[in-house]
């Protein structure tokens, strides 16, 4: 998910909120507890751990021993626990309510997954233990790989990428290596204008020239424009499917034929795999390589920004170029290929991948099974279309349905009243909902991309539809002043992002001592 | 299916409202040939108990490092993580939230990121830290790419004391961007002098502190040599606990410090997820990769935090971004932040002192074993020993006796037969005297 420049809130406009109660003595407001920084709470002599005195030894650290104190505050455990609990209470979460961030697949995170990842046999094994002592871990990686290969219909998978963007890098590097191997180094990568920012950023990181492809009126890639851009110097196209407007690229087979026709490869951004899992195989769509965000489709928690995991599946022509390390079946069980990878393009991460995420993903896969995963895709698509239908009479989707797992609206119906997409988002906060993804993709003005996922009940979807209907109706009724005050019920009100960027304060510093009065 | 709230009644009612005859109809944009009518050849759904049994059986086929004497390091370290850490990071509001794009309802995440950035900058002795990278190795590669942007040069020098996997990740990630990489030979004895490889075309020099083989060196002179040539000094730290006892790299004149933060708050996890730390001097902040959290005020003038300087990032800048990173290691950063908050400055220093003292005791014990010699004159909590025969088979033999003896250098330098007798050994605060005796006993019989 992303926010674009035009979506960036600037300086908050209106700071008076009618009917707000007088400030309290403490600054707290009921369950909303104000919380200073840890640096403002420390006291010398306090600590949250009891450590024994170090054994007395003559140190062997040479000349670079630390001599100045470590300026970090001391807090006791109860204070630390209270601090982080109070902070947590200022966060929205999928555990609390629907989280309709388009492109982010905020589904329920099963707690069984957490429990499994914490088994000492997974959580407490070292990446460089002798291979004989980690056979279960390698078997687990191999099993996750098997599920991913089966679900994608692709013959190979690289497990090491740390997240989706890292997976994009993995895919493009394999493509580059494949071209170089046949003495056919190429220069350009085609990226639709609707692509997520990581796609062009990744192509640039691989030293490719990024060439944009426009969308057609139906929100899909413009096939004629694409064909016009094709040539012998095109290494790949990076296409998201379902795309970032929530639509299936219905000419995808033609796209695949066209790119293959000039000797290029088809990279698919698999961030939206949730719509297809268990039902449609990317391998049947002419795709050569695709990353799969385990932290989207396979429910590993987002953790406020990460960690994720971004395994990448490969077609047969790209498979030999997959990076090190990878699990192989040896004569005495599983082995790890860490060196001499033949045509492997290199190494992407210090160790073997996001094992903690693999365990969670496998718990999720096994819980759902082939039947449950298929149901996941169906329910996800059903829920998004239900929201599309639920908004009838109030707002039309940007592109006619059916949509896939997410539905796109825009600001065309209320723009003239002075209300913005950002205002709608902030008003949703007051309704108790996390906003949808806004101002992404860039090709749609005032975009609102809604992805409910399959883990919402009908009742929950109905409530969201009701709230959104009410807000859009109000927006069309020109209540722009009311919108600008939103959010009114969040722990803080709109924040001054312009100031944050103009005078960056990126760390706490001790308060300057006050000038002594003359 | 326990995770799917919709019932068949709901589904048909919803289809009715949509006006679609069937679910199939909603997939009508998918080419017919690609619509799979049958279930895939995978197991069917299973209850918690069955799934738990399956995964527990796999877990049981591994030896947990904590269940045996373990001396493995080489970029991943076993430490004691206070109970409060794992409890707090599992709070729903931290675990199940997305990246804080809507700051009004993400102040919890944003405030801890601000605290985390401050902690990381403080212990490294640097001006600013970002909100995390995937791991230490990718942070290292990003640092090299950043040095390329800052200096507009394309030649990089990697120390022979840099973790070989970090070296490989740097080579992979910079390879297609047109860099030339000079890699110094494995610096087993901690004596390398890189001065001769630095000139006016050098973008950066990357060293590790303490080095891969465990040596602790002061890089102040190297930093001056870099400065004289307009090159940046990048210091990579794979054991962040060392900075509780060692001079911060920032004090030696490092321009960029990257680190693996796993040691604080995070388990071994077979290599991931880990926590890449990334810090730099203020003057380079606009060239930094990744998210940055900054302080600001809300409409009422109240202090709050937002993601900032986003014009560096892919979602705004696209192909001109400083990095392609999006999802990072947020929750690992939280674990780090809570652990370090519990420790405080004094506790962090004490933890480091215990680590060092245990390593010194271990080194002294191992030196007493016939056929074993400690190579390092300096080290923090990890050092290299020479055995009388190749280390890998000995490590295998000891593993069969449930002792994880360390990392044979041959595991990461397979091409260097002359290093086959070397073993990298680490001790931390969890290493007991009994563990040390077990290793000494094992090596006495094994070498
Ligand atoms: C369409 C799309 N592509 C790529 C990505 C990047 O994935 P990640 O954040 O896992 O690096 C995202 C995630 O936000 C996305 O929505």
């Amino acid at each position: 998910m992303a926010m674009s420049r035009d979506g960036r809130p600037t300086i908050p406009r209106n700071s008076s909120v009618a009917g707000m109660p007088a400030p309290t003595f403490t600054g707290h407001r009921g369950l909303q507890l104000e919380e200073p920084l840890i640096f403002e709470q420390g006291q010398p002599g306090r600590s949250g751990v009891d450590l024994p005195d170090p054994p007395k030894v003559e140190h062997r650290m040479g000349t670079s021993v630390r001599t100045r104190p470590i300026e970090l505050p001391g807090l006791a455990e109860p204070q630390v626990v209270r601090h982080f609990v109070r902070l947590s209470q200022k966060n929205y979460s999928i555990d609390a309510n629907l989280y309709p961030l388009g492109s982010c697949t905020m589904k329920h995170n099963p707690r069984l997954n957490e429990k499994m990842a914490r088994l000492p046999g997974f959580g407490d094994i070292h990446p460089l233990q002798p291979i004989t002592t980690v056979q279960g871990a390698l078997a687990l990686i191999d099993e996750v790989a098997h599920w991913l290969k089966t679900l994608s219909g692709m013959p190979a998978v690289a497990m090491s990428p740390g997240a989706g963007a890292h997976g994009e890098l993995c895919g493009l590097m394999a493509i580059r290596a494949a071209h170089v191997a046949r003495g056919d180094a190429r220069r350009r990568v085609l990226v639709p204008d609707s692509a997520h920012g990581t796609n062009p950023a990744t192509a640039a990181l691989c030293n490719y020239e990024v060439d944009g492809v426009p969308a057609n009126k139906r929100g899909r890639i413009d096939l004629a424009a694409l064909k016009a851009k094709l040539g012998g110097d095109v290494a790949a196209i990076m296409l998201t499917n379902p795309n970032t407007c929530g639509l299936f690229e219905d000419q995808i087979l033609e796209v695949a034929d066209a790119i293959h026709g000039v000797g290029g490869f088809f990279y698919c951004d698999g961030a939206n795999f949730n719509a297809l899992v268990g039902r449609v195989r990317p391998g049947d769509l002419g795709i050569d390589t695709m990353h799969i965000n385990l932290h989207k489709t396979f429910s590993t928690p987002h953790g406020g920004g990460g960690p994720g995991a971004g395994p990448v599946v490969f077609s047969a022509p790209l498979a030999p170029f997959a990076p090190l390390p990878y699990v192989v079946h040896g004569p005495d069980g599983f082995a790890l290929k860490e060196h001499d990878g033949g045509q492997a393009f290199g190494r992407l991460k210090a160790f073997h991948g996001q094992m903690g995420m693999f365990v969670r993903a496998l718990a999720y896969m096994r819980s759902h099974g082939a039947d449950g995963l298929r149901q996941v895709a169906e329910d996800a698509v059903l829920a998004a279309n239900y929201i599309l239908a639920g908004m009838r009479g109030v707002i039309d989707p940007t592109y006619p349905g059916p949509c896939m797992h997410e539905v796109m609206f825009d600001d065309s119906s209320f723009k003239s009243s002075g209300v913005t997409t950002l205002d709608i988002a902030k008003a949703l906060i007051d309704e108790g909902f996390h906003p949808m993804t806004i101002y992404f993709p860039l090709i749609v003005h005032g975009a609102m991309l809604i992805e409910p996922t399959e883990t919402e009940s009908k009742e929950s979807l109905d409530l969201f539809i009701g709230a959104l209907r009410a807000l859009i109706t109000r927006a069309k009724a020109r209540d722009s002043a009311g919108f600008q005050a939103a959010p009114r019920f969040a722990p803080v009100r709109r924040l001054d992002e312009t100031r944050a960027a103009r005078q960056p304060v990126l760390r706490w510093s001790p308060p300057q001592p006050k000038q002594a009065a003359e | 299916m326990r995770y799917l709230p919709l019932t068949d009644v709901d589904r048909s009612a919803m289809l009715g409202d949509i006006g679609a005859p069937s679910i199939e109809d909603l997939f009508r944009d998918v080419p017919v040939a690609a619509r799979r009518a049958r279930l895939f050849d995978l197991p069917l759904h299973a209850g918690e108990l069955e799934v738990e049994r399956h995964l527990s059986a796999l877990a049981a086929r591994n030896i947990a490092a904590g269940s045996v004497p373990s001396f493995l390091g080489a970029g991943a370290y076993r430490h004691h993580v206070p109970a409060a850490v794992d409890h707090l990071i599992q709070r729903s509001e931290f675990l199940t939230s997305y990246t804080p794009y809507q700051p009004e309802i993400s102040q919890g995440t944003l405030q801890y990121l601000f605290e985390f950035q401050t902690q990381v900058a403080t212990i490294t002795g640097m001006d600013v830290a970002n909100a995390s990278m995937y791991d230490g190795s990718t942070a290292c590669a990003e640092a090299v790419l950043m040095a390329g942007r800052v200096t507009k040069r394309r030649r990089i020098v990697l120390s022979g004391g840099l973790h070989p996997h970090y070296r490989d990740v740097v080579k992979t990630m910079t390879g297609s961007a047109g860099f030339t990489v000079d890699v110094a030979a494995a610096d087993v004895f901690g004596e390398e002098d890189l001065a001769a490889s630095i000139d006016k075309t050098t973008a950066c020099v990357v060293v590790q502190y303490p080095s891969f083989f465990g040596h602790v060196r002061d890089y102040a002179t190297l930093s001056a040599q870099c400065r004289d040539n307009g090159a940046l000094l990048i210091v990579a730290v794979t054991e962040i606990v060392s900075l509780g006892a060692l001079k911060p790299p920032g004090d030696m004149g490092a321009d960029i410090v990257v680190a693996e933060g796993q040691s604080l708050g995070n388990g071994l996890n077979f290599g991931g997820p880990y926590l890449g730390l990334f810090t730099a001097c203020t003057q380079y902040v606009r060239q930094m990769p990744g998210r940055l959290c900054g302080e600001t005020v809300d409409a009422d003038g109240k202090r709050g935090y937002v993601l900032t300087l986003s014009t560096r990032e892919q979602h705004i800048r696209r192909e001109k971004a400083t990095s392609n990173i999006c999802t990072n290691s947020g929750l690992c950063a939280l674990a780090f932040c809570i652990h370090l908050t519990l420790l405080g400055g004094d506790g962090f220093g004490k933890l480091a002192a215990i680590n060092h003292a245990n390593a010194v005791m271990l080194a002294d014990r191992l030196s007493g074993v016939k056929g074993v010699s400690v190579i390092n004159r300096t080290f923090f909590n990890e050092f290299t020993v020479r055995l009388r025969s190749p280390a890998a088979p000995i490590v295998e033999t000891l593993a069969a006796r449930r002792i994880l003896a360390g990392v044979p250098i041959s595991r990461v330098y397979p091409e260097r037969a002359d290093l086959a007798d070397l073993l990298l050994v680490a001790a931390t605060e969890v290493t007991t005297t009994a563990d040390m005796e077990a290793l000494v006993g094992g090596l006495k019989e094994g070498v």
Side-chain angles (χ1 to χ4, degrees):
Chain A
M1 116 91 203
M3 297 219 307
S4 83
R5 236 168 321 205
D6 49 358
R8 284 274 147 199
T10 52
I11 300 162
R13 282 168 285 194
N14 175 358
S15 82
S16 72
V17 179
M20 275 303 247
T24 56
F25 172 76
T26 55
H28 301 324
R29 279 180 290 169
L31 285 179
Q32 278 181 35
L33 300 165
E34 291 306 309
E35 182 60 10
L37 295 163
I38 51 173
F39 307 99
E40 295 158 342
Q41 303 187 40
Q43 289 294 341
R46 264 190 203 143
S47 178
V49 294
D50 291 312
L51 292 168
D53 285 330
K56 294 247 171 319
V57 296
E58 191 109 10
H59 87 74
R60 290 196 211 155
M61 295 182 286
T63 54
S64 31
V65 178
R66 188 183 253 281
T67 46
R68 60 189 178 97
I70 306 165
E71 287 172 15
L72 293 176
L75 285 80
E77 183 181 295
Q79 297 177 291
V80 176
V81 169
R82 198 168 275 175
H83 176 73
F84 288 99
V85 167
R86 288 181 177 189
L87 291 193
S88 75
Q89 290 172 334
K90 298 175 196 296
N91 269 7
Y92 192 94
S93 65
I94 181 66
D95 278 355
N97 204 0
L98 184 145
Y99 212 128
L101 267 179
S103 207
C104 300
T105 312
M106 291 298 285
K107 60 171 71 180
H108 173 66
N109 303 145
R111 285 314 190 274
L112 172 64
N113 306 1
E114 296 304 307
K115 184 178 174 191
M116 293 299 97
R118 284 167 173 79
L119 292 174
F122 295 134
D124 192 23
I125 49 176
H126 190 283
L128 299 177
Q129 277 181 218
I131 293 302
T132 48
T133 68
V134 291
Q135 285 295 305
L138 299 181
L140 182 132
I141 296 177
D142 190 61
E143 189 178 339
V144 176
H146 174 73
W147 281 76
L148 295 177
K149 287 186 287 187
T150 307
L151 292 168
S152 65
M154 311 273 271
V157 59
M159 296 297 287
S160 64
H166 209 211
E168 294 172 28
L169 195 60
C170 178
L172 284 203
M173 285 192 165
I175 289 171
R176 171 178 286 278
H179 279 135
V180 169
R182 63 186 196 210
D184 180 20
R186 294 181 172 215
R187 207 164 51 82
R188 260 189 312 146
V189 166
L190 304 183
V191 181
D193 297 339
S194 59
H196 191 259
T198 50
N199 293 186
T202 302
L205 189 52
C206 293
N207 222 15
Y208 285 117
E209 193 184 300
V210 176
D211 201 352
V213 186
N216 63 22
K217 283 202 197 69
R218 301 185 307 113
R220 273 83 170 183
I221 190 165
D222 183 332
L223 196 59
L226 163 67
K227 285 185 174 159
K229 297 232 170 191
L230 283 175
D233 64 333
V234 172
I237 180 163
M238 299 181 85
L239 186 67
T240 309
N241 187 48
N243 69 22
T244 56
C245 300
L247 304 170
F248 196 91
E249 287 287 352
D250 49 9
Q251 291 180 300
I252 191 162
L253 298 176
E254 288 87 334
V255 170
D257 285 346
I259 186 77
H260 290 150
V262 296
F265 289 100
F266 186 172
Y267 186 91
C268 180
D269 180 327
N272 294 336
F273 191 47
N274 204 47
L276 308 180
V277 63
R279 232 177 175 282
V280 179
R281 302 190 310 171
D284 293 334
L285 299 171
I287 289 162
D288 292 297
T289 172
M290 178 180 99
H291 74 257
I292 298 173
N293 312 61
L294 297 186
H295 46 295
K296 299 185 186 206
T297 308
F298 296 99
S299 84
T300 76
H302 272 276
V312 175
V313 288
F314 288 112
S315 63
L318 289 179
F321 303 96
L324 296 169
Y326 48 86
V327 176
V328 291
H329 297 247
D332 321 304
F334 292 101
L336 254 184
K337 187 87 183 141
E338 294 178 293
H339 303 281
D340 307 324
Q343 294 182 291
F345 71 72
R347 173 183 276 276
L348 280 174
K349 220 164 163 286
F351 300 112
H352 331 304
Q354 307 284 64
M355 180 68 175
M357 304 298 123
F358 301 158
V359 180
R360 290 172 175 87
L362 186 61
Y364 180 87
M365 291 163 171
R366 283 254 168 192
S367 293
H368 285 80
D371 51 337
L373 289 177
R374 188 179 173 91
Q375 194 68 58
V376 162
E378 293 183 0
D379 284 0
V381 170
L382 181 64
N385 278 287
Y386 185 63
I387 292 177
L388 188 161
M391 297 307 293
R392 266 183 215 140
V394 173
I395 187 170
D396 292 330
T398 306
Y399 304 103
C403 60
M404 296 303 284
H405 65 306
E406 55 192 356
V407 53
M408 162 84 76
F409 297 102
D410 59 63
D411 63 3
S412 52
S413 66
F414 54 79
K415 189 166 65 198
S416 63
S417 67
V419 177
T420 64
T421 286
L422 185 74
D423 292 332
I424 302 280
K426 300 303 181 191
L428 265 176
I429 293 176
D430 282 339
E431 294 288 346
F433 289 108
H434 194 285
M436 63 292 267
T437 289
I438 53 175
Y439 302 107
F440 172 79
L442 308 183
I443 59 164
V444 174
H445 193 276
M448 296 183 285
L449 188 62
I450 301 175
E451 181 180 6
T453 85
E454 72 285 0
T455 59
E456 294 305 322
S457 66
K458 181 167 177 295
E459 301 88 307
S460 156
L461 296 171
D462 285 335
L463 195 63
F464 177 75
I465 290 168
L468 192 57
R469 284 186 73 94
L471 291 180
I472 305 279
T473 307
R474 240 177 71 207
K476 293 206 267 191
R478 306 186 170 267
D479 177 21
S480 67
F483 273 102
Q484 281 166 21
R488 302 155 51 124
F489 307 132
V492 291
R493 300 191 50 226
R494 287 197 203 188
L495 289 140
D496 188 343
E497 303 199 1
T498 306
R499 167 180 161 143
R502 287 231 177 100
Q503 312 144 26
V505 179
L506 305 174
R507 62 182 287 184
W508 178 82
S509 329
Q512 296 300 314
K514 288 215 178 72
Q515 296 271 291
E518 305 254 316
Chain B
M1 255 309 303
R2 62 188 180 279
Y3 303 134
L4 301 177
L6 296 183
T7 63
D8 283 343
V9 174
D10 291 334
R11 291 182 184 116
S12 39
M14 289 163 76
L15 279 173
D17 286 358
I18 294 165
S22 66
I23 276 285
E24 192 61 32
D25 187 57
L26 300 178
F27 284 83
R28 63 177 178 241
D29 290 336
V30 180
V32 179
R35 288 188 226 158
R36 309 277 296 186
R38 281 196 295 125
L39 287 182
F40 292 11
D41 187 15
L42 290 165
L44 296 183
H45 73 272
E48 268 211 19
L49 181 59
E50 290 76 33
V51 176
E52 207 169 321
R53 275 198 190 120
H54 177 69
L55 287 169
S56 301
L58 289 175
R61 288 168 58 198
N62 305 317
I63 296 185
S67 65
V68 297
S70 170
F71 302 89
L72 292 126
Y77 301 87
R78 188 164 189 280
H79 290 281
H80 175 75
V81 178
V85 173
D86 198 44
H87 175 80
L88 288 168
I89 67 165
Q90 285 194 76
R91 282 192 61 94
S92 295
E93 303 88 338
F94 290 135
L95 185 73
T96 77
S97 54
Y98 201 75
T99 302
Y101 288 128
Q102 295 289 344
E104 296 87 349
I105 45 173
S106 312
Q107 286 297 302
T109 297
L110 287 159
Q111 184 169 332
Y112 84 63
L113 287 177
F114 188 77
E115 294 173 341
F116 166 80
Q117 289 176 183
T118 307
Q119 288 174 321
V120 173
T122 302
I123 63 178
T124 52
M126 299 295 286
D127 297 335
V128 286
N130 78 6
S132 81
M133 313 296 289
Y134 306 129
D135 74 359
S137 71
T138 65
C140 189
E142 292 270 14
V144 169
L145 292 167
M146 173 169 148
R149 292 192 295 274
V150 168
T151 62
K152 309 246 172 5
R153 298 177 184 175
R154 286 289 176 275
R155 202 171 72 76
I156 60 185
V157 176
L158 304 184
S159 156
L162 182 65
H163 194 305
H165 290 175
Y166 283 45
R167 173 202 66 200
D168 291 349
V169 173
V170 169
K171 281 165 93 177
T172 303
M173 284 185 56
T174 57
S176 51
F179 284 82
T180 51
V181 186
D182 288 354
V183 184
D187 183 29
V188 177
F189 298 99
E191 290 169 343
E192 117 193 313
D193 183 355
L194 295 173
S197 24
I198 310 169
D199 62 24
K200 304 274 183 209
T201 67
T202 312
C204 62
V205 175
V206 185
V207 293
Q208 185 172 317
Y209 176 71
S211 79
F212 177 72
F213 297 95
H215 308 286
V216 179
R217 302 187 64 189
D218 195 317
Y219 294 118
T221 311
L222 183 62
S223 140
Q225 289 160 347
C226 285
R227 189 151 313 127
D228 289 346
N229 285 284
L232 302 193
L233 177 65
I234 298 171
V235 176
V237 180
T238 59
E239 168 52 298
I240 197 69
V241 171
S242 67
L243 297 188
L246 299 179
K247 192 191 282 184
D251 291 11
M252 299 176 183
D255 298 287
I256 303 174
V257 177
V258 293
E260 174 51 67
Q262 169 268 328
S263 284
L264 289 179
N266 291 279
L268 289 171
N269 289 317
F270 202 44
Y274 283 2
L275 170 63
L277 308 180
F278 195 107
T279 69
C281 310
T282 302
Q283 68 192 111
Y284 303 131
V285 70
R286 282 171 204 274
Q287 290 298 339
M288 281 173 80
R291 298 183 187 126
L292 286 166
C293 172
E295 185 184 305
T296 187
V297 292
D298 77 355
D300 293 334
K302 186 167 134 183
R303 181 170 70 177
Y305 305 90
V306 291
L307 294 180
T308 192
L309 301 181
S310 317
T311 49
R312 300 165 300 109
E313 288 185 77
Q314 47 78 23
H315 60 278
I316 307 281
R317 234 354 193 280
R318 301 175 75 81
E319 64 269 22
K320 302 223 164 50
T322 55
S323 166
N324 70 339
I325 193 168
C326 181
T327 292
N328 57 19
S329 296
L331 202 70
C332 304
L334 174 62
F336 177 103
C337 178
I338 299 170
H339 192 173
L340 194 48
T341 304
L342 285 162
L343 287 165
D346 294 345
F348 187 49
K350 202 167 175 187
L351 177 67
I354 296 170
N355 271 256
H356 182 58
N358 281 351
V360 168
M361 295 196 308
L362 178 63
D364 287 347
R365 279 183 159 85
L366 292 178
S367 312
V369 178
K370 211 160 145 258
V372 177
S373 55
V374 173
I375 286 193
N376 300 55
R377 275 184 296 121
T378 61
F379 57 86
F380 170 63
N381 69 354
E382 184 168 29
F383 52 86
T384 308
V385 296
R386 186 183 294 284
L387 309 180
R388 243 191 326 210
S389 63
I394 295 172
V395 166
E396 281 295 339
T397 309
L398 292 184
R401 291 167 48 187
R402 300 185 67 82
I403 299 169
L404 298 175
V407 178
I409 295 297
S410 59
R411 175 104 186 234
V412 292
Y413 276 107
E415 72 281 12
R416 290 284 303 265
D418 57 319
L419 306 183
D421 295 353
L422 301 182
L423 179 68
L424 195 57
V425 205
T428 73
E429 75 285 0
V430 302
T431 312
T432 63
T433 317
D435 293 340
M436 297 184 199
E437 289 306 328
L439 181 61
V440 166
L443 285 177
K444 268 187 184 153
E445 292 163 39
V447 286

